[in-house]
Amino acid sequence: MSVFPESFLWGGALAANQSEGAFREGDKGLTTVDMIPHGEHRMAVKLGLEKRFQLRDDEFYPSHEATDFYHRYKEDIKLMAEMGFKTYRFSIAWTRLIPNGTGEVNQAGIDHYNDVINTCLEYNIEPLVTMFHFDMPDALDKRGSWSNPESVDWFVNFAKVMFENFGDRVKYWLTINEQNMLTLVGPIIGTLRIPEGTTNVLKEVYQQNHHMLVAQAKAMVLCHEMLPNAKIGPAPNISYVYPASCKPEDILAAQEFNAIRNWLYLDMAVYGKYNNLVWTYLEENDATPTFAEGDEEAMKNAHPDFIGFNYYSTATVQKAAADDKLDPGADQQSSRGEAGYYKGYANPNLKKTEFGWEIDPDGFLATMREMYSRYHLPMIVTENGLGAYDTLEEGRVHDNYRIAYLRAHIEQLHKAVTENIEMMGYCPWSAIDLVSTHEGIRKRYGFIYVDTTDEEVGTLDRYKKDSFYWYKKVIESNGENLD
């Protein structure tokens, strides 16, 4: 008999901006992601070093076609059903529903997501909807994005439109994907906009973060008011932080980075208050956010029903000197540092992926243990997976490396359940290949290979990888058959 409950939600995940394509079809508006090209200018546009106010004919934009889920969702959801998915985590593109971010609602977008949701339900797949996944409407980006205090109302209105149109069928909602990464490495993701003339960048970043925290809280309150039978939770990227040694200063540094990277976001979501170590850090850097009237009350009233979290690896840090010159961080999982507080340390006990991310299944269990001991809420893994260079050979991809990665993590998930940690489900990243936020399509995650590249659109045909058949057996056995 499986240790996993019969109600356990085995599934997979995608995001609209990385998989849908069809960037202007169905009267969809532009997002910030749509403005990011492939090639030599990609990073400069993400970092805001190159301003792009219109698309260029001489550049290729991977998100414009992505992996064409918009046109192939029936085929793709059928493949998910063949694997045995109990849930499918996907995001709704803000600009497909409200092309300019505010104002008129687009019926074509409503119709599309109704079709996606209904197709899931035809196969008894529970929709798990992410409300915001890195794709701010371009029209709102031009109005200041999350730096604008009005962004709270923009997001709550977007939530209302989703709840009104899909709440009769969607039981599970996620608010903002990886808000901690939008704050810590926003320029690398391409989402952070610092207003011209800003003198204290850290203060501006955490003011934007505050707006997101308030928006998330108000969306949770609204969900509970409009959809009393629905459940809603946050979806940060959580990496438990190890000290590089047993030196007391390294242990303190790890506590500080744990708070800055992880606990700030969950303390606020669950308890409605800022983590004390983070607030001290902000005070020391003259970076505490300004509260608008009603913010404090809104954040205390959120009360999430569960916690969604993305896990790829742990982090390791040591104490940083005040005069250290440190890299603030290349991406979600790379070593980071902040002078006077902590600096990243390459863990010599862990192997790395082809793209330099450390692999730590034991750390997955450590992360779940710590989260549950702090928050005592049911949890669902909303992303976990291996990005790799996959090779299509005679219609197959032999991705034993991905199977090994997922097997090792599911084994730790199994241990967590036996320890009476309430785990609701597991949604690997990703259900099918998509455009990776940093490395594009060449960094593949899916159970299903899609014939396309970063340089040009291919046939977009789908091919089942070896991991597809393996994961199907895992689900059929409710997590017991990992061979």
Side-chain angles (χ1 to χ4, degrees):
M1 182 176 178
S2 174
V3 302
F4 292 98
E6 286 299 316
S7 60
F8 193 80
L9 296 171
W10 297 99
L14 292 174
N17 73 85
Q18 295 170 265
S19 64
E20 283 186 353
F23 81 111
R24 294 311 302 261
E25 290 190 46
D27 297 319
K28 176 182 172 292
L30 287 172
T31 73
T32 50
V33 177
D34 293 327
M35 307 302 289
I36 300 172
H38 174 67
E40 59 180 320
H41 299 285
R42 182 175 179 83
M43 192 53 64
V45 172
K46 277 187 168 190
L47 293 171
L49 302 175
E50 275 190 39
K51 304 293 185 184
R52 292 293 176 91
F53 299 104
Q54 60 185 21
L55 300 171
R56 288 171 38 170
D57 293 335
D58 62 339
E59 290 187 316
F60 180 69
Y61 298 83
S63 69
H64 290 189
E65 295 289 344
T67 48
D68 200 32
F69 181 81
Y70 182 84
H71 295 112
R72 298 171 185 248
Y73 68 89
K74 287 186 181 292
E75 172 189 356
D76 289 340
I77 294 172
K78 184 178 180 181
L79 287 166
M80 295 176 201
E82 185 181 337
M83 271 189 283
F85 276 26
K86 309 299 183 186
T87 191
Y88 164 44
R89 180 205 173 193
F90 63 96
S91 70
I92 287 178
W94 193 331
T95 56
R96 222 175 263 294
L97 295 195
I98 310 174
N100 291 314
T102 60
E104 186 175 354
V105 175
N106 175 29
Q107 187 59 45
I110 299 292
D111 293 343
H112 170 72
Y113 288 113
N114 273 329
D115 288 344
V116 171
I117 290 165
N118 291 338
T119 302
C120 287
L121 295 175
E122 287 171 12
Y123 289 104
N124 296 313
I125 295 173
E126 197 73 61
L128 173 59
V129 172
T130 309
M131 299 162 69
F132 182 80
H133 197 128
F134 297 171
D135 48 356
M136 176 63 76
D138 188 56
L140 298 185
D141 193 58
K142 290 179 170 65
R143 292 167 63 182
S145 189
W146 291 108
S147 70
N148 189 331
E150 295 178 9
S151 60
V152 174
D153 293 332
W154 301 340
F155 184 76
V156 173
N157 177 68
F158 174 44
K160 184 172 183 286
V161 171
M162 286 186 282
F163 297 155
E164 286 175 337
N165 286 279
F166 313 127
D168 59 327
R169 285 152 294 148
V170 176
K171 298 178 183 177
Y172 297 101
W173 299 86
L174 298 163
T175 52
I176 298 174
N177 181 73
E178 295 192 349
Q179 182 183 334
N180 52 339
M181 297 299 101
L182 296 176
T183 299
L184 293 169
V185 293
I188 306 300
I189 295 173
T191 54
L192 183 66
R193 296 292 176 264
I194 301 297
E196 290 188 16
T198 298
T199 56
N200 186 336
V201 173
L202 188 69
K203 183 176 179 64
E204 171 61 29
V205 166
Y206 277 89
Q207 186 65 54
Q208 294 188 28
N209 180 64
H210 180 80
H211 293 154
M212 282 187 268
L213 290 170
V214 176
Q216 169 178 263
K218 289 188 173 183
M220 288 182 182
V221 170
L222 185 65
C223 180
H224 291 140
E225 290 175 350
M226 293 181 65
L227 308 173
N229 295 320
K231 296 183 184 299
I232 189 167
N237 176 312
I238 302 297
S239 290
Y240 188 69
V241 181
Y242 301 139
S245 76
C246 57
K247 293 178 182 177
E249 59 264 35
D250 288 348
I251 293 170
L252 293 175
Q255 288 179 336
E256 289 167 356
F257 189 40
N258 262 314
I260 290 169
R261 192 199 187 285
N262 300 319
W263 312 141
L264 160 62
Y265 303 89
L266 291 176
D267 284 3
M268 182 57 76
V270 178
Y271 302 125
K273 61 183 181 181
Y274 274 89
N275 178 279
N276 62 294
L277 290 180
V278 177
W279 194 259
T280 301
Y281 159 74
L282 296 175
E283 286 179 327
E284 290 171 350
N285 289 277
D286 190 27
T288 55
T290 300
F291 279 59
E293 185 177 353
D295 283 1
E296 187 172 2
E297 181 183 5
M299 291 188 290
K300 286 185 176 179
N301 290 336
H303 305 309
D305 302 288
F306 65 91
I307 294 172
F309 72 103
N310 302 346
Y311 175 85
Y312 290 94
S313 185
T314 47
T316 305
V317 298
Q318 58 188 159
K319 177 66 177 178
D323 58 354
D324 277 347
K325 303 298 183 185
L326 301 170
D327 181 355
D331 58 36
Q332 289 99 315
Q333 305 305 141
S334 296
S335 294
R336 298 173 41 78
E338 186 138 0
Y341 295 96
Y342 56 86
K343 58 183 176 182
Y345 180 86
N347 192 327
N349 303 296
L350 301 177
K351 295 180 180 179
K352 292 185 177 182
T353 72
E354 293 176 297
F355 290 88
W357 289 12
E358 292 175 341
I359 300 172
D360 189 5
D362 291 328
F364 184 33
L365 179 60
T367 299
M368 289 184 283
R369 284 176 171 177
E370 185 66 18
M371 289 174 64
Y372 194 67
S373 70
R374 292 179 67 94
Y375 305 109
H376 300 286
L377 282 175
M379 300 187 294
I380 183 168
V381 182
T382 43
E383 289 181 27
N384 173 239
L386 178 71
Y389 294 106
D390 290 344
T391 302
L392 183 68
E393 299 175 320
E394 298 180 353
R396 292 290 294 270
V397 174
H398 302 298
D399 57 341
N400 289 334
Y401 40 87
R402 180 168 294 109
I403 292 171
Y405 177 99
L406 294 171
R407 177 189 294 120
H409 285 78
I410 294 173
E411 286 172 348
Q412 298 304 318
L413 183 62
H414 187 285
K415 289 180 183 178
V417 174
T418 63
E419 293 174 357
N420 297 304
I421 296 174
E422 294 178 87
M423 298 304 302
M424 296 165 51
Y426 179 69
C427 296
W429 187 259
S430 56
I432 65 173
D433 284 346
L434 42 62
V435 181
S436 170
T437 301
H438 306 292
E439 286 87 4
I441 292 169
R442 69 194 179 105
K443 186 181 184 182
R444 295 178 181 267
Y445 281 93
F447 295 110
I448 298 162
Y449 184 96
V450 179
D451 179 27
T452 192
T453 70
D454 290 313
E455 289 71 37
E456 61 182 2
V457 179
T459 66
L460 297 168
D461 289 344
R462 273 62 170 148
Y463 298 90
K464 301 170 189 175
K465 303 179 188 180
D466 287 356
S467 58
F468 176 102
Y469 300 99
W470 174 83
Y471 193 47
K472 180 179 180 180
K473 290 191 300 181
V474 172
I475 298 175
E476 283 176 347
S477 67
N478 200 19
E480 289 303 300
N481 185 358
L482 302 181
D483 295 335

